[in-house]
Amino acid sequence: MGNEQMLEKVAQAIVDGDIEAVKSLGQTCLDLGIAPADIVQKGGGAGLEIVGQKFEELELFLPDLIASADAMQALTSLVMPDTGSISQEMAGKVVFGTVAGDLHDIGKNLSINQLQLNGFKVKDLGVDVKVNRFVEEAEELGAQVIAMSALMSTSAYYQKDLIEYLKTKKLRGKYYVIVGGGPVTAEWAAEIGADGYGRTAVSCVKLCKELIASGSTPGSCAPRVAE
Ligand code: B12
């Protein structure tokens, strides 16, 4: 069986919420030499896309969504490298959270994992993070970047609020603000005056690297877009 077909099987196991199948298929993919990021994105991520569509079409319901999310967590724990022992001081400092009202964290966790693998020190603020907390934590860490994930169209508005909040605190020029997550687009990033938009966890690394290297004042340029 080819790699593409293996990834399709992973996607199907995620749709089925079958943790045992996901673990065994994930291991087979690793043994075949498929890159962990591909297993997660092209296998697991593709499965969650299908789950989302079926949920919208009332073919699947909340318990199914939860079972698929648990299966995805099992997949990421299995295939993503552990970042615990990597030195995380070199590339820059980032605070990262899912915005208020939003409990989705799979994409955030994948993005943090990629950043850490690429030498960033990241403070994970978790989910349902209020605007003021992002800023307090960034101040405490001495971060250059505030990264926000949002998976629901209703919660994406808090990304806008954070930028307004930074302005009222006269801190907009201090932090690069990057945004991502399901409903978030490059157009939205431009509309709210963010510094960057990334479509994937890998693009998140590119954004952070480019913004920090640019030396530009945060909030002064059109957002960078990393696909
Ligand atoms: C899994 C899931 C859940 C799980 C979440 C588990 C968890 N620990 O995260 C559970 C079951 C808990 C859940 C709950 C709900 N969910 Co839900 N969920 C999903 C689902 C199926 C997949 C999301 C996911 O993990 N995708 C995979 C990851 C890898 O993708 P990602 O997050 O987009 O991240 C990638 C990129 O966007 C990027 N990225 C992410 N963040 C960032 C940040 C930056 C800065 C950058 C650069 C990049 C970046 O990197 C990632 C990897 O490449 C989606 C459907 C979908 N198509 O997205 C619905 C979906 C998001 N959920 C939805 C809904 C409605 C809900 C509920 C309200 C359901 C309910 N009736 O209770 C609740 C809300 C709870 C809450 N308050 O948050 C809707 C949202 C609709 C909308 N547009 O507002 C969706 C779209 C389903 C649908 N089609 O209707 N959900």
Side-chain angles (χ1 to χ4, degrees):
M1 193 182 301
N3 289 0
E4 294 295 316
Q5 282 157 309
M6 276 310 298
L7 292 172
E8 276 169 28
K9 276 187 169 275
V10 172
Q12 187 56 49
I14 294 283
V15 175
D16 297 339
D18 186 341
I19 292 184
E20 287 316 310
V22 160
K23 282 186 182 164
S24 119
L25 289 163
Q27 189 56 52
T28 311
C29 288
L30 286 174
D31 295 343
L32 284 169
I34 304 178
D38 283 345
I39 303 172
V40 168
Q41 199 63 45
K42 296 182 184 162
L48 286 181
E49 268 308 308
I50 299 169
V51 173
Q53 274 160 24
K54 288 187 185 277
F55 179 73
E56 229 165 78
E57 290 156 9
L58 302 178
E59 261 185 69
L60 290 179
F61 300 95
L62 194 55
D64 306 302
L65 218 63
I66 294 171
S68 294
D70 288 347
M72 182 68 167
Q73 301 286 17
L75 181 70
T76 48
S77 314
L78 177 79
V79 306
M80 292 309 277
D82 180 17
T83 51
S85 59
I86 295 173
S87 113
Q88 293 159 6
E89 285 289 355
M90 312 292 285
K93 293 182 189 170
V94 182
V95 293
F96 210 133
T98 301
V99 296
D102 197 330
L103 304 177
H104 296 86
D105 67 358
I106 297 172
K108 167 185 71 65
N109 295 344
L110 290 175
S111 302
I112 290 176
N113 185 278
Q114 286 300 314
L115 284 168
Q116 290 176 333
L117 286 171
N118 284 277
F120 284 88
K121 185 180 176 77
V122 186
K123 177 131 192 216
D124 181 357
L125 307 182
V127 296
D128 192 17
V129 182
K130 309 265 179 310
V131 156
N132 58 324
R133 188 160 163 242
F134 274 104
V135 178
E136 283 158 21
E137 296 279 1
E139 289 278 280
E140 197 178 312
L141 184 71
Q144 293 107 328
V145 182
I146 297 177
M148 285 180 285
S149 183
L151 262 288
M152 296 190 298
S153 12
T154 42
S155 59
Y157 287 95
Y158 290 107
Q159 297 178 332
K160 184 174 185 204
D161 284 358
L162 182 124
I163 290 173
E164 295 307 321
Y165 182 78
L166 281 173
K167 286 181 189 161
T168 61
K169 292 279 169 191
K170 307 231 179 316
L171 290 170
R172 180 67 189 97
K174 192 167 174 188
Y175 300 107
Y176 296 112
V177 177
I178 65 168
V179 293
V184 179
T185 59
E187 290 72 31
W188 172 249
E191 188 182 326
I192 66 173
D195 297 290
Y197 159 75
R199 200 179 56 79
T200 66
V202 173
S203 68
C204 189
V205 176
K206 191 166 181 265
L207 271 186
C208 289
K209 280 188 177 162
E210 285 183 6
L211 283 168
I212 292 172
S214 75
S216 63
T217 307
S220 65
C221 302
R224 273 166 200 267
V225 175
E227 287 296 332

